[in-house]
């Protein structure tokens, strides 16, 4: 048979502290313990609707200090502190010692196991479906930052004649890991068809000794996220500096992005700009070839032996009825000689 151990009591002295702190002789130990029980029962009975999570007690010879952790401090304090004063007088009459009360607010009640169990029990008393109540608490705890949560409800669930247990869990709840901060809470729902017990385990992370804060706070993961973000930013910001050393790449002037170079003479129009050296001839060779070609085309024209291409009209003709163009100097004097012969 599996024997269950209270997670808080298992971790006392390692990562958790005692909920009652006092020291006395052997003869007074039983009286002090009974006094603690009466104080807690009185506070829980009077402030049951205030969302109490925990009660810590510290004792001296003539003074008792009570720390109350609640999600609704306004209800505990009351208007201008009336409720706190009344509670202090009642505890003074109960113990016969001076009582000092500290009210502490719980910022995120979704991560407190006792408050989660109490909220589920209240919903069951209001005839809410137990599955809906459990799943809603599960989702809210994980959304608030819990590393894991487990909820167990037992009793006549849904009004059935046979009692049963239903449990839902999400994340990881390592009960055997002593450094894991496991918060445990228990509450009972008093329904018309019997009592339903609610147990909640919440994993708030791991509490490591000194020197291992990075593992607890998750600095390693945050640094990894920063590296990823820096890489994402590098795809748009610092990319010019990394591409300056590439072949045929433009430099990044004042962070304005890559500068596309002009198309070289002899580079094909469809080639990618800045994509490296063109596959054609080198620029110097292209210039030399173009110069030689221009000389070859101009030399026959000066000698008068070059024939015009078929698709180009000869000089001096006007195919579209436009004004005639000037003819070559060698062909121009031939017209008057033909007239003289005629």
């Amino acid at each position: 048979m599996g024997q269950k151990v209270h997670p808080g009591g298992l971790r006392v002295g390692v990562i958790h502290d005692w909920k009652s702190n006092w020291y006395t002789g052997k003869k007074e130990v039983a009286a002090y313990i009974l006094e603690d029980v009466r104080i807690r029962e009185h506070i829980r009975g009077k402030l049951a609707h205030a969302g109490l999570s925990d009660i810590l007690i510290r004792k001296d010879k003539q003074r008792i200090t009570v720390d109350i952790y609640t999600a609704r401090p306004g209800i505990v304090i009351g208007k201008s502190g009336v409720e706190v004063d009344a509670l202090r007088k009642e505890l003074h009459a109960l113990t016969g010692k001076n009582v000092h009360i500290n009210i502490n607010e719980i910022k995120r009640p979704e991560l407190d196991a006792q408050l989660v169990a109490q909220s589920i029990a209240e919903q069951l008393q209001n005839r809410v479906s137990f599955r809906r109540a459990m799943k809603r608490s599960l989702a809210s705890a994980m959304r608030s930052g819990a590393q894991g949560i487990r909820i167990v409800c037992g009793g006549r669930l849904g009004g059935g004649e046979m009692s049963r247990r239903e449990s839902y869990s999400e994340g990881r709840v390592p009960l055997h890991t002593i450094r894991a901060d496991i918060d445990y809470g228990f509450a009972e729902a008093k329904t018309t068809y019997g009592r339903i017990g609610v147990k909640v385990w919440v994993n708030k992370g791991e509490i490591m000794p000194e020197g291992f804060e990075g593992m607890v706070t998750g600095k390693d993961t945050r640094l990894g996220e920063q590296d990823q973000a820096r890489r994402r930013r590098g795809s748009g910001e610092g990319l010019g500096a990394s591409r300056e050393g590439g072949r045929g790449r433009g430099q990044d002037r004042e962070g304005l992005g890559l500068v596309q170079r002009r198309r070289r003479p002899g580079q094909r129009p469809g080639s990618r700009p800045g994509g490296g050296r063109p596959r054609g001839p080198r620029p110097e060779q292209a210039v030399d070839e173009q110069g030689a070609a221009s000389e070859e085309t101009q030399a026959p024209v000066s000698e008068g032996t070059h024939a015009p291409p078929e698709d180009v009209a000869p000089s001096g003709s006007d195919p579209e009825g436009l004004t005639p163009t000037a003819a070559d100097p060698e062909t121009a004097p031939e017209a008057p000689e033909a007239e003289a012969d005629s």
Side-chain angles (χ1 to χ4, degrees):
M1 299 294 292
Q3 304 297 322
K4 302 298 182 293
V5 179
H6 193 288
L10 180 66
R11 290 163 175 78
V12 166
V14 184
I15 61 173
H16 291 170
D17 197 4
W18 298 97
K19 294 187 178 182
S20 294
N21 292 289
W22 43 263
Y23 181 81
T24 185
K26 293 183 179 180
K27 297 181 180 180
E28 300 176 351
V29 170
Y32 271 51
I33 292 176
L34 184 60
E35 192 176 57
D36 291 350
V37 172
R38 289 176 178 174
I39 290 173
R40 287 194 171 90
E41 287 182 351
H42 181 79
I43 295 175
R44 293 187 187 278
K46 184 175 182 179
L47 302 176
H49 59 286
L52 293 181
S53 172
D54 207 353
I55 301 173
L56 305 183
I57 300 175
R58 297 192 303 271
K59 289 184 181 180
D60 294 333
K61 278 293 183 181
Q62 298 297 328
R63 183 175 179 177
I64 298 176
T65 303
V66 180
D67 296 336
I68 299 176
Y69 291 85
T70 175
R72 303 170 185 173
I75 299 177
V76 179
I77 296 173
K79 190 175 181 179
S80 67
V82 176
E83 297 294 335
V84 176
D85 295 338
L87 182 61
R88 185 183 298 108
K89 292 179 182 179
E90 293 172 0
L91 293 180
H92 174 70
L94 183 65
T95 59
K97 299 178 182 179
N98 297 328
V99 179
H100 181 72
I101 299 177
N102 298 324
I103 308 298
N104 301 311
E105 181 183 4
I106 297 177
K107 300 295 184 181
R108 291 187 291 178
E110 298 87 3
L111 298 179
D112 192 280
Q114 184 64 33
L115 296 179
V116 172
Q118 290 179 9
S119 66
I120 294 175
E122 290 178 2
Q123 294 179 53
L124 294 178
Q125 291 179 3
N126 295 330
R127 300 181 180 273
V128 177
S129 173
F130 68 93
R131 289 191 180 90
R132 181 180 301 176
M134 294 167 69
K135 290 181 180 179
R136 188 181 301 169
S137 300
L138 208 73
S140 63
M142 295 301 294
R143 197 184 309 115
S144 298
Q147 294 190 4
I149 181 173
R150 180 168 179 253
I151 303 175
V152 177
C153 289
R156 295 182 60 183
L157 299 176
E161 294 182 0
M162 186 82 67
S163 63
R164 57 196 175 97
R165 292 180 61 182
E166 289 279 345
S167 65
Y168 290 94
S169 63
E170 189 172 352
R172 55 185 297 268
V173 185
L175 299 179
H176 286 194
T177 305
I178 304 300
R179 64 171 178 263
D181 187 8
I182 306 297
D183 192 12
Y184 173 75
F186 172 75
E188 287 185 348
K190 301 176 182 178
T191 62
T192 56
Y193 39 82
R195 294 199 178 191
I196 297 178
V198 182
K199 295 180 180 180
V200 177
W201 292 262
V202 178
N203 180 16
K204 298 181 180 180
E206 294 185 358
I207 300 177
M208 305 295 292
E210 295 183 0
F212 296 88
E213 289 82 358
M215 299 178 64
V216 181
T217 57
K219 292 182 179 179
D220 299 338
T221 59
R222 282 203 291 271
L223 286 176
E225 293 174 359
Q226 291 177 2
D227 293 341
Q228 293 179 1
R230 197 176 296 116
R231 293 192 194 102
R232 297 192 200 102
R233 291 197 304 267
S235 62
E237 294 179 6
L239 200 58
S242 62
R243 288 187 174 181
E244 286 179 5
R247 293 177 54 187
R249 307 266 187 193
Q251 295 182 354
D252 187 6
R253 295 186 234 162
E254 301 179 359
L256 299 178
L258 293 177
V259 180
Q260 297 182 358
R261 293 183 177 178
R262 296 182 179 178
R263 189 163 53 90
R264 298 174 179 174
Q267 185 179 1
R268 293 181 297 175
S271 62
R272 184 177 59 185
R277 184 176 295 169
R279 296 184 180 179
R282 293 183 179 180
E284 298 82 359
Q285 298 177 358
V287 172
D288 297 338
E289 292 175 2
Q290 288 182 358
S294 61
E295 291 176 359
E296 292 175 0
T297 54
Q298 292 176 3
V301 172
S302 60
E303 297 175 0
T305 59
H306 177 69
E310 297 178 357
D311 55 345
V312 178
S315 59
S317 62
D318 190 9
E320 298 182 359
L322 301 177
T323 57
T325 57
D328 294 337
E330 296 180 0
T331 59
E334 294 180 356
E337 292 179 0
E339 292 177 357
D341 297 336
S342 61

